[in-house]
Amino acid sequence: MRLRQLSIPFSRINHIFISHLHGDHFFGLFGLLTSFNLLNRKQALHIYTFPELAEILHLDNPKLLFGDHFGYKIILHPLSDDKPELILDSKTLTVTSVPMKHRIPCCGFVFAEKEAPRKLLKDKMEWYKIPVYKRRGIKEGSDLILDDGRTIPNHELTTAPPPARKIGICSDTLYNKQYLSFFSHADLLFHEATFMHNLLDRARETCHSTARQAATFAKEAEVKKLIIGHYSVRYKDTIPLVEEARDLFPDTIAAEDGLTIEL
């Protein structure tokens, strides 16, 4: 329902990352996977989480849950809570799972864009009549050598791409600096902030973090922007949580449905 309200095309969802197998983090899968099937999905769906989900979803025979006409393949990529692992390496980005400290096995994630190729200047391509087969090398940084031996430096033929971006997700977790370096200098960090710091003992008891601890982590990792979320239902207003975090890390905002952020 929320995806439809936000006009997010179902067909663009091919990889799903689930931090841990507490119900509030994966019960929505049942409706989503059913909707994919009703929409006649054919391409495989990749789910990254802990292996117990295979049994919950009956992945050996998904028709037990989703009916006889289940038409696509679900590929489960098991996470490890022992050490960080590279779990996806595509042409444009990498995804790394990072163990968190929670009551059950749990991982956060780091999404890191790869550096994009340089952008060709159309007028230069036409001026020098550069054939298509030479353009890939120029996008990758090569200079152009003309037939008369002259060298045209790459910076005259291209412009630099936007900087590669990095997003970190610290899901349900105690405050934990063990793998801080993986989130270092992220453009955006989401860190859970279930409680305010006056309930630190409760946070420790339930393996969660306070808003102040989320801000401390963001400051230590030298990230650019912090989003806090996963608030306890006792808080009817997020302003006190945000204010507590901003005391340490001013560029903090509250997570909310439909929030859009420019990076």
Side-chain angles (χ1 to χ4, degrees):
M1 292 293 294
R2 185 63 77 208
L3 290 169
R4 287 197 167 104
Q5 290 167 1
L6 297 174
S7 300
I8 297 174
F10 282 20
S11 60
R12 295 188 63 186
I13 300 174
N14 296 310
H15 301 265
I16 296 176
F17 302 85
I18 300 174
S19 61
H20 63 296
L21 296 178
H22 277 154
D24 55 324
H25 290 260
F26 78 92
F27 282 168
L29 268 180
F30 296 96
L32 181 62
L33 300 183
T34 300
S35 293
F36 282 157
N37 197 46
L38 291 173
L39 292 169
N40 201 32
R41 182 187 180 101
K42 298 301 180 186
Q43 69 267 37
L45 178 70
H46 298 263
I47 301 178
Y48 303 77
T49 191
F50 292 93
E52 291 80 5
L53 187 68
E55 183 177 350
I56 295 169
L57 292 179
H58 296 288
L59 289 188
D60 57 336
N61 186 11
K63 293 179 180 181
L64 290 173
L65 277 180
F66 303 108
D68 289 336
H69 301 290
F70 193 75
Y72 62 95
K73 187 175 183 180
I74 298 173
I75 302 171
L76 181 68
H77 301 265
L79 301 180
S80 167
D81 65 339
D82 292 330
K83 62 183 184 303
E85 290 186 332
L86 178 66
I87 57 174
L88 177 63
D89 188 356
S90 74
K91 290 176 64 176
T92 57
L93 85 162
T94 62
V95 183
T96 302
S97 63
V98 183
M100 301 282 105
K101 287 190 178 294
H102 196 41
R103 288 170 289 170
I104 63 173
C106 181
C107 281
F109 302 100
V110 177
F111 299 83
E113 285 183 323
K114 294 182 177 178
E115 186 175 344
R118 295 181 66 83
K119 294 181 178 293
L120 300 175
L121 294 171
K122 184 177 178 181
D123 59 336
K124 297 295 185 179
M125 298 300 106
E126 295 173 352
W127 177 262
Y128 290 109
K129 297 181 172 58
I130 301 174
V132 172
Y133 74 89
K134 287 188 177 182
R135 295 184 182 187
R136 179 174 179 179
I138 294 172
K139 289 174 70 173
E140 292 174 352
S142 298
D143 296 332
L144 173 67
I145 300 176
L146 301 177
D147 293 340
D148 61 9
R150 286 183 297 150
T151 297
I152 309 301
N154 187 272
H155 66 83
E156 294 184 13
L157 304 169
T158 63
T159 58
R165 294 164 294 184
K166 178 179 175 181
I167 296 174
I169 308 289
C170 287
S171 52
D172 293 21
T173 185
L174 285 167
Y175 170 71
N176 177 27
K177 294 172 57 174
Q178 183 177 3
Y179 298 116
L180 181 75
S181 61
F182 283 85
F183 300 93
S184 178
H185 297 98
D187 295 273
L188 180 67
L189 173 71
F190 171 89
H191 197 294
E192 75 121 290
T194 307
F195 300 103
M196 294 187 66
H197 208 67
N198 64 325
L199 293 177
L200 177 61
D201 289 343
R202 180 62 176 159
R204 289 171 174 164
E205 179 185 347
T206 58
C207 293
H208 285 296
S209 298
T210 69
R212 184 182 300 174
Q213 288 176 323
T216 300
F217 190 94
K219 185 175 182 179
E220 292 171 334
E222 299 182 71
V223 305
K224 295 178 182 177
K225 183 182 289 289
L226 171 66
I227 300 179
I228 56 171
H230 199 274
Y231 325 108
S232 167
V233 294
R234 73 188 65 217
Y235 301 110
K236 307 306 179 187
D237 190 341
T238 62
I239 291 176
L241 292 133
V242 172
E243 289 179 344
E244 178 174 277
R246 284 179 177 169
D247 283 344
L248 280 176
F249 194 85
D251 202 351
T252 299
I253 58 176
E256 58 184 66
D257 284 348
L259 177 67
T260 301
I261 297 172
E262 294 278 342
L263 293 181

